[in-house]
Amino acid sequence: MNNNRLPMLLGLGVLAWVGIVILLAFSGRLIIHRFGPMPEQPVQFNHSLHVNKLNLECLYCHQYAEQSIHATLPPTQVCRDCHEGADIQRPEAQKLAELLETVDEIPWQRVYKVKDHVYFTHRVHTTVAKLRCQECHGPIEDMTVAIRSAGGSSDRSFLEMGWCITCHKRRDGPRECINCHK
Amino acid sequence: MKFSRRSFLKSLGALSFAMAPPVTRGPLQQLYPKLIPAEEIIPGMPYWYASTCRECPAGCGVMHKVRDGNVIKIEGNPNHPISRGGLCPRGQAALQELYNIDRIRQPIFIAENGKQTELTWEAALREIRSRLITGRTSIMTGHVNGAQKKFMETWLRTLPGQNSLVEYEPLNRRADVQVNKIVFNKEVSSTYHLDKARYILSIGADFMETWQSPVQHSHNFAIARQLKDGQACKFVYLGISGSLTSTNADESHIIAPRSEPAILLALAKYILEKRSDNDIRMRDTWAESLAPYSLETASQLSGVALDILKKIASDLSQSDASLVLCGDAVASHERGTESVVAATILNYIAGNFGKTIELFNSPDNDTTWAVSDFDRFVESMEARQISTLMIHQTNPIYNYPGTQKLESALRKVPLKIAFATTMNETVAKADFILPIHHSIETWGLDEPEPGVFSLVQPAIDPIYESRAIEEILLSIRLSTDLPETFEKFINDEWAAVFRKVEPSETFGPNWQTMLEQGGMWSDERTMDSVPSISRNLFDFLSSLKHPVIPAAPMFQVKASHRFYDGRGANKSWLWELPHGTDNSVWDTPVRIHPEIAAAHHLKDGDVVSLSANQRTIEAPVLITNNIHPNVIAMEIGAGHTNYGEMAVKETGNPISLLSRTNDFSSGDLVFMTDEISIKRTEKSRKIARVQGSYDQHRREIIQEIPLAEAVKLEANHAHRPIHEHTEIYPEHKHPIYDWAMVVDLSACNGCGSCVVSCYAENNVPIVGKQQVERGREMAWIRIERFEMGDGRSRFLPMMCQHCEHAPCETVCPVYATMHSSEGLNVQVYNRCVGTRYCSNNCPYKARRFNYWSPKWPEPTDRQLNPDIYHRPKGVMEKCTFCSHRIRKAKEDAKIEGRLVRDGEVMPACAQSCPTGALTFGNLNDPESKVSKLVNDYRAYVVFEELNTKPSVIYLKGIKHG
């Protein structure tokens, strides 16, 4: 073996090694990114039970979805209206009862997020475009705790612009920058 | 103890004479502050609350915009009889007092050695009660009116001892009443109707900035300047130094200090002689009294050429509705009252009473104390006659010329309690500092003008543990003549007002309407007939002597357009708002004439030390021609020693140089001093100015049209087509909306309301003096001032022109700036990579680059508009035509299945403009206001030769001959 080539080979080996490590690290990151866990909720709220079994409308809890930019989470009074006094043995219902006694507001974690520079309003999507909630939020009536099932997947925390645009194209929604970028 | 909006409404419902208002509901369920019942509050949507501005005594009506529990913007209340929808920069900046990093957050005890201890409310009140000793109690306050004043007076009256309510307000309207007493022997106040005048002469009255009620006067002045029946009001200004108001005049002349009465009385004499037709009683007595005056003497004394004075005199005598305004305390001397008396005489002889001036018998005339009385009050403190002093909304340590004397007197008062929102020099001298509500957090009933009952209502829950001053006074000591709670008191007051104004109606159901409109006022007021002249006036006149015009420089302290009497100096928006005439920021330079500069070898920015009355301050100089050679003028604002982080400390406080002389007849503070010495120091600092040249270099940025031509074109219904250039590229299509703005340069007076409004609305960051020096200021809209060559200036608000052929769009390598289908030039912040090519290619220099990421320390972050992205470092930004407001209006319209109506979208700048110079709307709607204005014969665009086709169209200013 030519001694002159040894350092070069060694160098190449190191480079290849570094490359492999970087590749592995990135693919791992992508995997975590794509399938990463949803935020931990204080109570594992069962959407399916409330919607399918108890026949509650979405607007019963998310009452401002047709009036505001936010759909809004229900104030604790909405939970209290049914849960107070009711003796429900389910563990999550017990947890809720405990929470209702100790806190003013339940610290629900946001599942669907848009970036700071994005303007999104529920009001127009529900009233003018007349979208059903499921078109963006997926089959939420069949879920227990809400998980994000739409909105693009390259970034686990925020909804993707491409996903928005696909729908805006399909339905001929406004597609100018200023409509959504604030 | 907490007095929330909710509990107030509840108790109101319980009042026996009233039906329950439709606002008492079940317990609150939301995290949002207790404003509207939970069912009516929609998170994420804005709400408006009508209230009254308390930044100066004018009392403009405001609307507070609340979003998710924070007040994010203050705008003028279009229904309010005083402000009519406009709001000045100081009013806008009230938000920076509410969300001030230096807000006092809980009660503080200051020990003898200066050590500060934070206390709980219970501990503080217990301690105060235990220290209360019998003796005289005084409340030392700024100007208060309406219910608050009544409360304080009643509270003091029922305490044992000879108590007094001391109103110290250096800039006040006292002179007005004092003068009417001399002239008519009646305690009446004057109301000036600038809108009805055809000729206005102002002697040192800066009515667009600080004098009396600037928003009201600016609004009315703009109406007067409109072309009506081939006429428009002419405006002439005479003063010892220039100001924003004087640069707006058709003619402004610098006069010698102390020559005002001589000019005014000579004019009066001229008119008396010319107008033999008008019915002036006691003509002979007048003639006799005015005999010593003549235009010739006036010209000699004032230094104004005789033919100029003759022209003014003949114009005045020929005008059927003239108006003479004379600045009171400010711009006057120890014979200031004489000047105002002379102006009143001139108005009387010109027959203006009943036409452009009305006299009202007001029960509650300005009761602020004369400085001579305040002197005596300080002496009584020194003599240990005051046992308890309460300090509220006034800062005499800063703005009373006798700080040392006052400090020593304050040390002799055993118990001093300060009620304050933020720390200032006077508050720091107290034993106890109790945090009080800002006016945005409390209830009240103001009566800024007789018959105008203006509502003060809280828009948010208090952000810190503050309380209303009335509540605190009651918890210090209950009063037999007052209800047990402030809540009950203010209820009763409003009910009483209601009974007085609308005796036939019940109060309860109408309360909601009143909350919405911001108060009660009747449009008709009973005017006093023009009273007869007091005999004593002629004695007063005969005692007048021709003044001695000083040969040495005098020092003039001017009220500041931005900081008023110094109170605005803790607000960064006001420091970053360029000065109206010289565009300087973050400093208050001393203005000198080139002659003084030459004598002392001074150039712009050289720091001088000014000495008078054994005190010395330092300030940089700014050389200007617009000042009398024997006057050195400086605005109030800098030199605070304990007024938060924003206050500028390097430059001194000009008030400290004043002697405590006062006007011999009114007792008001004299804002001038004779013995000023000016010395050059080795220091020099750059004055940060945002505009380099006031010459247009023949580029015709501001265009004018002579009055005669305007009249002719108006009569012919002339139009002027714009955008006649040939096109190479296909034009942009605007299928539904085509937004445009029209700026009337005849109306714009350069006040800067739009600038501050834009800062507040769009989260525009403050950069500080150093960055401005480097040309990195961030204002999206700026006021450009250009000199028109004959001593006049015109102002032009310059913002992004939203060009149809935008030079910025074609050079952006990443498409961060684009053209929208509605004619907007939009900036996509997250696409921007910061090449700054766009800014380089913008002929209007309307683009701003973020060199730093702005910081918003708590609680200033609560003011941020959630509809606007907080641009980080490395991003270009600019005016968006308030695209978020357009978006909101479009949403509302879409939901209702219609198009946006004309006037529904109001950018922040247009909303707050006191003169209505800015109009915004849709060019595709042929009926919209802008559509009609763009074809006006006065319409033009800036740099038309560049064929950028801006969406901002200017209307040429009308030049009065």
Side-chain angles (χ1 to χ4, degrees):
Chain A
M1 188 174 272
N2 190 339
N3 271 354
N4 287 345
R5 286 171 66 191
L6 190 64
M8 204 180 87
L9 274 175
L10 268 175
L12 274 178
V14 170
L15 266 182
W17 180 242
V18 170
I20 289 166
V21 167
I22 290 173
L23 250 176
L24 277 175
F26 264 93
S27 57
R29 205 170 153 244
L30 281 179
I31 291 161
I32 294 166
H33 231 93
R34 185 154 191 164
F35 306 109
M38 284 291 126
E40 188 63 33
Q41 299 291 359
V43 175
Q44 300 291 306
F45 178 83
N46 191 333
H47 278 87
S48 166
L49 177 75
H50 286 83
V51 180
N52 289 334
K53 282 243 177 86
L54 303 171
N55 289 327
L56 294 185
E57 291 289 329
C58 303
L59 284 178
Y60 187 85
C61 295
H62 305 288
Q63 55 177 325
Y64 295 115
E66 290 184 348
Q67 296 167 49
S68 174
I69 54 172
H70 308 303
T72 65
L73 293 165
T76 49
Q77 190 58 43
V78 175
C79 309
R80 280 180 218 274
D81 284 345
C82 302
H83 280 261
E84 230 163 38
D87 185 22
I88 307 170
Q89 291 306 316
R90 290 167 185 270
E92 289 304 314
Q94 300 275 348
K95 211 154 113 193
L96 175 78
E98 275 169 37
L99 264 178
L100 286 177
E101 275 174 25
T102 52
V103 296
D104 286 341
E105 290 298 327
I106 300 169
W108 299 114
Q109 298 298 305
R110 193 178 268 268
V111 177
Y112 286 82
K113 283 186 249 181
V114 292
K115 288 222 161 134
D116 280 350
H117 58 260
V118 179
Y119 171 82
F120 174 82
T121 173
H122 276 90
R123 190 162 80 122
V124 177
H125 285 87
T126 51
T127 55
V128 178
K130 297 200 167 53
L131 297 188
R132 290 167 59 244
C133 307
Q134 285 85 342
E135 302 197 39
C136 299
H137 294 286
I140 197 136
E141 73 277 16
D142 297 328
M143 296 178 194
T144 53
V145 64
I147 53 165
R148 189 152 75 80
S149 56
S153 54
S154 74
D155 188 329
R156 68 173 164 160
S157 349
F158 297 100
L159 299 179
E160 266 191 348
M161 179 172 154
W163 175 74
C164 299
I165 289 294
T166 317
C167 190
H168 275 237
K169 271 188 183 154
R170 198 171 64 233
R171 294 173 184 275
D172 200 24
R175 287 198 299 285
E176 286 191 65
C177 309
I178 197 70
N179 291 317
C180 308
H181 283 259
K182 63 180 189 188
Chain B
M1 201 61 232
K2 239 182 148 187
F3 176 22
S4 68
R5 179 189 175 87
R6 177 154 205 88
S7 59
F8 175 67
L9 291 172
K10 260 186 180 167
S11 69
L12 187 91
L15 288 178
S16 55
F17 59 84
M19 277 168 57
V23 279
T24 39
R25 300 277 163 86
L28 279 156
Q29 305 157 350
Q30 301 256 346
L31 283 170
Y32 299 100
K34 306 155 177 114
L35 297 161
I36 306 185
E39 300 91 299
E40 287 170 33
I41 258 200
I42 301 176
M45 301 306 272
Y47 290 85
W48 295 89
Y49 294 97
S51 192
T52 309
C53 179
R54 276 185 171 168
E55 289 300 297
C56 83
C60 298
V62 291
M63 304 290 286
H64 294 141
K65 185 183 190 180
V66 176
R67 176 81 191 268
D68 299 348
N70 293 319
V71 183
I72 56 168
K73 182 78 179 40
I74 305 180
E75 296 196 340
N77 179 356
N79 299 322
H80 202 272
I82 291 180
S83 56
R84 303 274 171 206
L87 192 61
C88 75
R90 299 189 300 273
Q92 304 272 351
L95 275 182
Q96 288 200 321
E97 179 77 21
L98 175 70
Y99 298 124
N100 197 304
I101 43 173
D102 299 305
R103 267 301 281 275
I104 295 165
R105 301 177 187 211
Q106 67 182 98
I108 297 169
F109 172 68
I110 304 180
E112 292 273 322
N113 58 10
K115 193 170 168 281
Q116 297 192 359
T117 328
E118 293 194 338
L119 298 174
T120 61
W121 270 105
E122 287 65 36
L125 290 172
R126 202 182 325 117
E127 191 67 18
I128 288 171
R129 272 186 231 115
S130 74
R131 285 173 183 230
L132 277 179
I133 42 169
T134 48
R136 278 172 68 181
T137 303
S138 282
I139 299 180
M140 182 170 78
T141 173
H143 178 57
V144 282
N145 61 47
Q148 194 167 44
K149 181 174 176 184
K150 187 178 169 192
F151 186 97
M152 288 178 177
E153 280 175 344
T154 318
W155 189 81
L156 283 172
R157 201 175 53 231
T158 51
L159 284 187
Q162 271 200 315
N163 309 310
S164 48
L165 182 66
V166 183
E167 283 182 57
Y168 181 73
E169 187 83 40
L171 307 173
N172 55 49
R173 290 199 203 184
R174 287 187 75 253
D176 201 33
V177 181
Q178 297 295 325
V179 164
N180 287 335
K181 213 163 136 189
I182 295 172
V183 180
F184 302 113
N185 200 16
K186 263 190 164 180
E187 286 216 14
V188 286
S189 53
S190 319
T191 303
Y192 300 97
H193 296 287
L194 278 74
D195 49 336
K196 293 182 183 146
R198 290 297 171 93
Y199 186 94
I200 296 175
L201 172 67
S202 168
I203 309 266
D206 294 330
F207 62 86
M208 295 177 193
E209 299 148 78
T210 47
W211 186 65
Q212 292 196 344
S213 191
V215 174
Q216 185 180 20
H217 290 329
S218 297
H219 177 86
N220 289 342
F221 180 67
I223 294 176
R225 295 283 266 185
Q226 284 166 2
L227 209 54
K228 275 190 298 268
D229 318 325
Q231 275 193 63
C233 173
K234 183 167 181 179
F235 172 38
V236 177
Y237 187 98
L238 302 176
I240 60 172
S241 61
S243 65
L244 187 68
T245 309
S246 83
T247 48
N248 272 291
D250 299 313
E251 267 176 47
S252 89
H253 305 285
I254 295 294
I255 56 172
R258 292 184 180 153
S259 63
E260 295 95 335
I263 300 175
L264 289 162
L265 292 173
L267 291 172
K269 183 184 170 194
Y270 179 92
I271 295 170
L272 187 74
E273 285 164 2
K274 282 283 155 185
R275 283 206 186 167
S276 46
D277 58 312
N278 78 353
D279 172 37
I280 295 172
R281 286 159 66 193
M282 299 185 285
R283 180 175 280 276
D284 298 339
T285 327
W286 277 120
E288 194 187 322
S289 294
L290 296 174
Y293 301 93
S294 68
L295 290 176
E296 286 75 16
T297 337
S299 166
Q300 274 168 21
L301 287 169
S302 64
V304 180
L306 182 61
D307 41 332
I308 291 173
L309 285 183
K310 275 190 176 154
K311 177 84 172 74
I312 294 173
S314 83
D315 282 355
L316 260 177
S317 68
Q318 280 162 23
S319 172
D320 55 344
S322 61
L323 178 59
V324 182
L325 306 170
C326 185
D328 32 285
V330 184
S332 76
H333 37 78
E334 53 276 68
R335 293 184 176 270
T337 308
E338 275 176 24
S339 311
V340 189
V341 167
T344 311
I345 291 172
L346 179 51
N347 274 322
Y348 182 83
I349 290 181
N352 295 336
F353 281 94
K355 278 190 203 159
T356 53
I357 312 177
E358 289 179 303
L359 293 174
F360 287 100
N361 215 344
S362 56
D364 186 23
N365 288 324
D366 197 339
T367 46
T368 44
W369 281 33
V371 82
S372 50
D373 295 335
F374 190 73
D375 279 341
R376 278 192 281 283
F377 174 69
V378 174
E379 276 156 24
S380 67
M381 283 198 286
E382 184 68 40
R384 299 178 194 273
Q385 288 165 354
I386 307 287
S387 53
T388 310
L389 178 71
M390 299 182 170
I391 302 159
H392 172 245
Q393 281 177 352
T394 187
N395 189 4
I397 296 265
Y398 176 80
N399 56 26
Y400 166 72
T403 304
Q404 283 169 337
K405 200 177 153 203
L406 179 60
E407 277 179 359
S408 137
L410 284 174
R411 277 194 290 274
K412 308 278 168 44
V413 180
L415 178 61
K416 298 174 290 288
I417 307 162
F419 305 97
T421 48
T422 51
M423 185 68 88
N424 67 30
E425 290 82 357
T426 313
V427 167
K429 298 280 179 263
D431 306 309
F432 291 92
I433 303 175
L434 304 177
I436 55 163
H437 292 336
H438 186 272
S439 62
I440 298 177
E441 301 167 322
T442 191
W443 287 99
L445 190 175
D446 277 8
E447 199 183 344
E449 273 187 12
V452 176
F453 299 100
S454 202
L455 175 79
V456 178
Q457 70 170 317
I460 54 167
D461 263 5
I463 56 175
Y464 296 120
E465 284 198 16
S466 57
R467 292 183 183 180
I469 177 169
E470 293 90 344
E471 269 182 86
I472 306 172
L473 290 177
L474 284 178
S475 43
I476 290 174
R477 196 169 174 148
L478 286 176
S479 161
T480 47
D481 288 357
L482 286 170
E484 280 181 18
T485 59
F486 170 44
E487 194 175 342
K488 175 91 171 54
F489 169 79
I490 200 86
N491 272 340
D492 293 350
E493 286 302 304
W494 269 112
V497 164
F498 203 88
R499 273 197 299 271
K500 198 157 74 187
V501 183
E502 299 269 355
S504 55
E505 305 268 334
T506 44
F507 179 38
N510 291 300
W511 174 242
Q512 193 67 30
T513 331
M514 209 149 73
L515 286 179
E516 280 162 22
Q517 75 170 22
M520 295 192 74
W521 40 81
S522 52
D523 289 329
E524 301 146 47
R525 286 188 286 178
T526 46
M527 193 201 31
D528 286 10
S529 56
V530 182
S532 50
I533 293 289
S534 157
R535 278 271 156 201
N536 298 336
L537 173 67
F538 299 106
D539 298 339
F540 182 88
L541 273 179
S542 60
S543 71
L544 296 187
K545 287 180 195 74
H546 273 313
V548 183
I549 305 296
M554 292 186 85
F555 184 59
Q556 184 199 14
V557 178
K558 300 184 79 166
S560 166
H561 176 43
R562 298 174 292 172
F563 315 110
Y564 199 62
D565 60 358
R567 69 182 66 169
N570 62 347
K571 300 174 184 85
S572 53
W573 289 337
L574 297 179
W575 279 112
E576 199 129 321
L577 169 70
H579 182 271
T581 52
D582 61 42
N583 301 84
S584 66
V585 297
W586 291 99
D587 212 338
T588 54
V590 45
R591 290 173 171 73
I592 55 171
H593 193 268
E595 281 180 19
I596 297 182
H600 292 84
H601 310 289
L602 293 167
K603 57 180 193 306
D604 275 352
D606 282 351
V607 176
V608 292
S609 80
L610 297 163
S611 310
N613 303 305
Q614 294 91 47
R615 285 179 295 268
T616 303
I617 61 164
E618 286 194 348
V621 299
L622 202 142
I623 301 160
T624 169
N625 279 317
N626 203 6
I627 193 166
H628 192 270
N630 268 348
V631 174
I632 294 171
M634 188 169 166
E635 286 186 5
I636 310 171
H640 279 281
T641 52
N642 193 351
Y643 199 36
E645 274 184 41
M646 291 307 157
V648 167
K649 299 171 189 79
E650 297 83 43
T651 300
N653 172 11
I655 300 180
S656 65
L657 294 186
L658 295 175
S659 64
R660 266 196 334 284
T661 46
N662 40 57
D663 187 320
F664 79 106
S665 33
S666 70
D668 262 335
L669 183 59
V670 169
F671 280 76
M672 289 190 92
T673 189
D674 287 16
E675 302 132 18
I676 185 87
S677 86
I678 179 166
K679 264 200 223 86
R680 204 183 143 181
T681 65
E682 292 306 305
K683 285 177 271 181
S684 179
R685 62 171 172 266
K686 202 172 165 186
I687 293 173
R689 296 164 94 160
V690 298
Q691 189 177 343
S693 167
Y694 301 115
D695 183 4
Q696 304 201 55
H697 301 282
R698 285 174 293 164
R699 299 202 65 178
E700 295 190 339
I701 297 165
I702 294 184
Q703 297 182 14
E704 286 191 317
I705 182 166
L707 180 64
E709 197 183 323
V711 171
K712 211 161 62 194
L713 289 169
E714 175 114 333
N716 296 340
H717 304 286
H719 296 301
R720 179 188 176 279
I722 50 170
H723 299 328
E724 282 177 330
H725 299 266
T726 47
E727 304 299 333
I728 303 171
Y729 298 107
E731 284 194 53
H732 289 292
K733 296 237 175 350
H734 305 304
I736 307 169
Y737 300 110
D738 183 5
W739 302 112
M741 185 180 270
V742 175
V743 184
D744 185 351
L745 297 187
S746 259
C748 178
N749 63 15
C751 72
S753 287
C754 49
V755 180
V756 178
S757 186
C758 181
Y759 268 96
E761 178 75 13
N762 292 304
N763 307 339
V764 178
I766 294 294
V767 294
K769 186 179 178 191
Q770 224 183 17
Q771 297 297 314
V772 175
E773 276 173 17
R774 295 176 185 170
R776 295 175 181 178
E777 71 274 7
M778 297 301 289
W780 287 5
I781 177 169
R782 64 177 188 268
I783 308 283
E784 293 190 344
R785 179 175 77 87
F786 287 112
E787 286 167 359
M788 306 312 289
D790 50 1
R792 290 177 307 117
S793 288
R794 276 212 184 271
F795 299 88
L796 176 133
M798 176 56 78
M799 68 299 263
C800 172
Q801 303 282 299
H802 294 269
C803 312
E804 286 290 283
H805 288 175
C808 54
E809 288 168 14
T810 49
V811 294
C812 181
V814 294
Y815 292 103
T817 179
M818 324 253 306
H819 212 76
S820 91
S821 69
E822 297 171 3
L824 301 179
N825 171 264
V826 301
Q827 178 75 14
V828 187
Y829 299 124
N830 65 321
R831 264 189 194 171
C832 177
V833 295
T835 62
R836 291 173 279 156
Y837 294 171
C838 53
S839 174
N840 217 19
N841 215 29
C842 174
Y844 304 98
K845 292 288 157 263
R847 295 184 150 256
R848 304 296 191 202
F849 186 68
N850 283 282
Y851 285 87
W852 307 94
S853 282
K855 291 187 185 70
W856 316 98
E858 188 272 324
T860 54
D861 55 344
R862 293 188 57 174
Q863 187 274 319
L864 296 177
N865 186 351
D867 286 337
I868 302 287
Y869 180 47
H870 315 153
R871 289 81 54 187
K873 161 165 83 179
V875 169
M876 189 61 75
E877 61 183 63
K878 53 149 204 104
C879 161
T880 65
F881 265 174
C882 281
S883 61
H884 55 289
R885 292 192 179 202
I886 300 176
R887 191 195 286 132
K888 171 82 170 44
K890 268 163 60 189
E891 275 179 14
D892 291 344
K894 253 186 189 173
I895 287 169
E896 289 170 27
R898 56 174 175 86
L899 287 180
V900 175
R901 296 189 196 103
D902 191 32
E904 208 175 342
V905 187
M906 267 277 215
C909 50
Q911 204 292 327
S912 58
C913 180
T915 64
L918 308 171
T919 314
F920 183 81
N922 177 13
L923 285 183
N924 281 358
D925 172 6
E927 291 307 306
S928 71
K929 264 193 199 162
V930 280
S931 294
K932 290 178 177 149
L933 288 173
V934 286
N935 293 323
D936 195 271
Y937 62 92
R938 289 197 287 145
Y940 77 99
V941 297
V942 176
F943 301 150
E944 189 165 4
E945 68 279 13
L946 298 179
N947 196 27
T948 51
K949 300 178 82 179
S951 298
V952 179
I953 289 101
Y954 293 89
L955 301 184
K956 289 178 189 172
I958 295 176
K959 183 180 174 184
H960 295 250

